[in-house]
Amino acid sequence: MVGMLMVLLCLLSGAMLGVRGEDPYLFFTWNITYGTLSPLGVPQQVILINNQFPGPVINSTSNNNIVINVFNNIDEPFLITWTGVQQRKNSWQDGVLGTNCPIQPGTNFTYRFQVKDQIGSYMYYPSTGMQRAAGAFGGLHINSRLLIPVPYADPEDDYTVIIHDWYTKSHSTLRKFLDSGRSIGRPEGVLINGKVAKGDGKDEPLFTMKPGKTYKYRICNTGLQTSLNFRIQGHPLKLVEMEGSHVQQNLYESLDVHVGQCYGVLVTADQEPKDYYMVASTRFTKKVLTSKGIVRYTNGKGPASSEIPEAPVGWAWSLNQFRSFRWNLTASAARPNPQGSFHYGAINITRTIKLVSSVNRSGGKLRYAFNGVSHVDPPTPLKLAEYYGIADKVFKYDVIPDDPPAKIGEIVSQPNVLNVTFRTFVEIILENPEKTIQTYHLAGHSFFAVAVEPGTWTPEKRKNYNLLDAVSRNTVPVFPKSWAAILLTFDNAGMWNLRSEIWERTYLGQQLYISVLSPERSLRDEYNIADNALLCGVVKGLPKPPSYVI
């Protein structure tokens, strides 16, 4: 009876839960289509998931098995990546062109992955072409199992806030710009959950709050290139988690949410009962673009004040906010990197990889690079080539040095794959000599963001690392003419994407892959290729290699 009731409840919520002896399964069917909407008042083509924009929220619990059957009904190859979900032993499901053949138009593919103990707020979005500019993005929650208490009382409700910059040009037009050597330029606006409040008294609320109750807001920036400052009129934001880690619970008037980042905050409805604006505005742009959404008290009487709280100015403010983020060492939760856990600062670094970003606009061709190499996705996904034992026909390992020369010459376009020894503790330095802020994401792992500082990195800078309570996360901002240092154990075998979250830069080559091979072809360390895996390029039609065994 209980099992049937669970199935019925999940069917009503758009998912189906399989009742099995193992960890629970959540089943979804997603139909990817084009639609016409006018988010900024101009009719334009968007990408919908089950006719929704943004897409549906995946609400899961740690250790759930997620099964999503994606039907591609648009006219381009399509993939979705689950940003921040570590895909333990399972890079086959990461949903990027280095690991997966794209889903061709008119066909479908079923993702199957398990969300492990990464309690927190995440997002998904398309990883092919410039489709991220058109939609098919949304929130992904991983809630705590009852066995692992979170360090705050259960909120009255749990809300997802998708904020992002927005272009009125189609994703295919933006792609043509980049292919022709042009930049996509500046966005035309900012959206909150796909909308902009007009402030004419006719706006429906995005969210409602009961007086005296506390709510969790999960704020994710799914945009293309713009950092956004988020705030709610008259309501401080108590930061409780980011990207899978509980943090020290500081109060903020506003938060800078850089591209690709998610924050979980608590907001208490303790003000005069009426409407309030939640606000997202662009940072580090010449012209500030602002979007609003209504938060309404259930017994509210009165419109939101037209006086919008001001956003901070300059990137030094944002850097200082980053420095205020600290890992909550007393929270009961699964710890990342078993050999690191609380004591990551005491582990010997076995390798330092320095990645310097660069841009080349010569010859009318715009390209971005790490250490002078601009990544190009070959027709055969890197992971497939490696698994089938024909990597040498598709790419070369380690085409960039760990310590690049002081002056990087011409940019070369080719696949960029680093070979990293399994279970080693590595330091990665991300250096930004440019005038714009950058944000980077590493798939398959969480890392400790131990420093972000102005200037250039030298080994002496290690004296200033936070080796005690840096937050374990999967993104890090790098400010103009600055650097960031991250530390991590590469304990997840697979092929993993390190990329800029500024999608123009990613599309034009500022990404690479890190191959983490277990010395044994063992199921203990990595899963076999999925039975339903799509095959393309030089592996299409080849017999599958022998399966991994324990």
Side-chain angles (χ1 to χ4, degrees), residues 179-432:
D179 290 344
S180 69
R182 294 175 57 183
S183 168
I184 62 173
R186 298 173 185 150
E188 279 81 32
V190 173
L191 303 181
I192 303 177
N193 284 7
K195 299 176 181 178
V196 179
K198 297 177 181 177
D200 58 3
K202 299 179 182 178
D203 296 303
E204 289 298 316
L206 292 178
F207 307 104
T208 59
M209 299 197 295
K210 298 176 183 176
K213 300 295 185 180
T214 297
Y215 294 78
K216 184 171 184 180
Y217 287 82
R218 302 174 187 257
I219 308 143
C220 294
N221 184 344
T222 63
L224 288 187
Q225 67 172 6
T226 313
S227 297
L228 298 171
N229 182 267
F230 179 85
R231 55 226 188 254
I232 300 177
Q233 283 179 324
H235 292 76
L237 312 174
K238 180 184 283 189
L239 184 64
V240 293
E241 62 91 0
M242 63 174 70
E243 299 167 21
S245 287
H246 297 305
V247 296
Q248 291 185 15
Q249 296 181 7
N250 299 325
L251 288 172
Y252 297 91
E253 291 184 2
S254 68
L255 284 168
D256 272 358
V257 188
H258 304 295
V259 181
Q261 295 186 335
C262 289
Y263 293 138
V265 303
L266 298 180
V267 177
T268 300
D270 56 3
Q271 301 299 309
E272 177 189 350
K274 63 186 189 77
D275 286 358
Y276 294 87
Y277 283 128
M278 61 169 49
V279 184
S281 57
T282 58
R283 295 279 275 126
F284 325 121
T285 55
K286 285 185 178 180
K287 180 183 178 182
V288 176
L289 302 173
T290 300
S291 184
K292 300 177 292 187
I294 297 287
V295 178
R296 177 167 295 166
Y297 279 52
T298 53
N299 63 339
K301 297 178 181 178
S305 168
S306 59
E307 191 172 322
I308 301 298
E310 290 187 5
V313 178
W315 61 265
W317 185 95
S318 195
L319 173 57
N320 286 331
Q321 185 171 84
F322 168 86
R323 289 170 174 162
S324 73
F325 300 150
R326 291 288 187 269
W327 204 19
N328 186 339
L329 300 181
T330 63
S332 175
R335 296 290 166 188
N337 303 333
Q339 73 180 61
S341 64
F342 288 107
H343 306 295
Y344 68 91
I347 304 172
N348 291 329
I349 296 167
T350 59
R351 181 178 177 185
T352 297
I353 302 170
K354 185 177 179 182
L355 300 174
V356 180
S357 69
S358 59
V359 57
N360 182 9
R361 295 183 175 87
S362 64
K365 201 69 176 173
L366 180 62
R367 296 295 300 182
Y368 295 94
F370 282 126
N371 295 2
V373 172
S374 184
H375 176 76
V376 176
D377 288 306
T380 306
L382 307 166
K383 179 61 181 172
L384 284 175
E386 189 176 71
Y387 185 77
Y388 275 77
I390 54 173
D392 57 334
K393 295 182 180 179
V394 176
F395 67 91
K396 295 179 181 178
Y397 292 103
D398 298 320
V399 296
I400 59 173
D402 285 1
D403 189 14
K407 187 172 182 180
I408 296 172
E410 285 293 310
I411 286 177
V412 177
S413 294
Q414 66 184 92
N416 194 356
V417 183
L418 295 178
N419 195 4
V420 171
T421 304
F422 188 43
R423 290 188 177 137
T424 52
F425 194 68
V426 174
E427 173 185 52
I428 299 178
I429 309 301
L430 296 155
E431 199 161 276
N432 175 16

Side-chain angles (χ1 to χ4, degrees), residues 416 455 522 532:
N416 194 356
S522 170
N532 67 329

Side-chain angles (χ1 to χ4, degrees), residues 14-180:
M16 188 170 74
L17 176 68
V19 182
R20 308 189 178 196
E22 53 189 308
D23 291 307
Y25 278 69
L26 290 171
F27 294 91
F28 301 85
T29 298
W30 282 5
N31 189 27
I32 311 300
T33 60
Y34 287 131
T36 301
L37 294 175
S38 305
L40 293 178
V42 179
Q44 63 182 114
Q45 183 187 75
V46 299
I47 300 177
L48 307 172
I49 301 178
N50 295 350
N51 291 320
Q52 296 179 51
F53 173 80
V57 173
I58 298 175
N59 196 33
S60 65
T61 298
S62 62
N63 284 8
N64 281 175
N65 294 284
I66 309 297
V67 181
I68 306 177
N69 192 359
V70 177
F71 288 82
N72 177 15
N73 289 305
I74 64 173
D75 58 358
E76 292 184 355
F78 185 80
L79 281 174
I80 290 181
T81 188
W82 320 95
T83 305
V85 176
Q86 289 182 14
Q87 309 289 2
R88 301 298 298 179
K89 304 194 295 185
N90 198 19
S91 64
W92 307 109
Q93 304 296 320
D94 198 37
V96 289
L97 289 171
T99 59
N100 295 83
C101 299
I103 309 167
Q104 294 300 319
T107 67
N108 69 299
F109 173 73
T110 302
Y111 290 92
R112 302 173 186 271
F113 57 89
Q114 187 176 30
V115 292
K116 301 296 285 184
D117 284 321
Q118 298 176 247
I119 301 159
S121 306
Y122 304 93
M123 70 179 82
Y124 61 84
Y125 55 73
S127 65
T128 38
M130 290 297 291
Q131 293 158 0
R132 184 172 174 176
F137 43 65
L140 191 158
H141 305 173
I142 305 177
N143 299 298
S144 173
R145 290 175 290 159
L146 294 177
L147 293 173
I148 306 176
V150 296
Y152 51 88
D154 288 344
E156 179 71 12
D157 210 338
D158 193 319
Y159 293 141
T160 301
V161 186
I162 302 297
I163 58 175
H164 52 97
D165 54 14
W166 189 252
Y167 291 74
T168 54
K169 297 178 181 67
S170 71
H171 71 95
S172 55
T173 298
L174 296 177
R175 181 175 182 170
K176 289 174 184 175
F177 283 177
L178 297 179
D179 290 344
S180 69

Side-chain angles (χ1 to χ4, degrees), residues 501-519:
E501 281 291 332
I502 314 297
W503 208 248
E504 174 179 271
R505 303 179 75 97
T506 305
Y507 180 77
L508 294 178
Q510 195 160 81
Q511 57 173 314
L512 54 77
Y513 283 83
I514 298 176
S515 172
V516 184
L517 284 172
S518 167

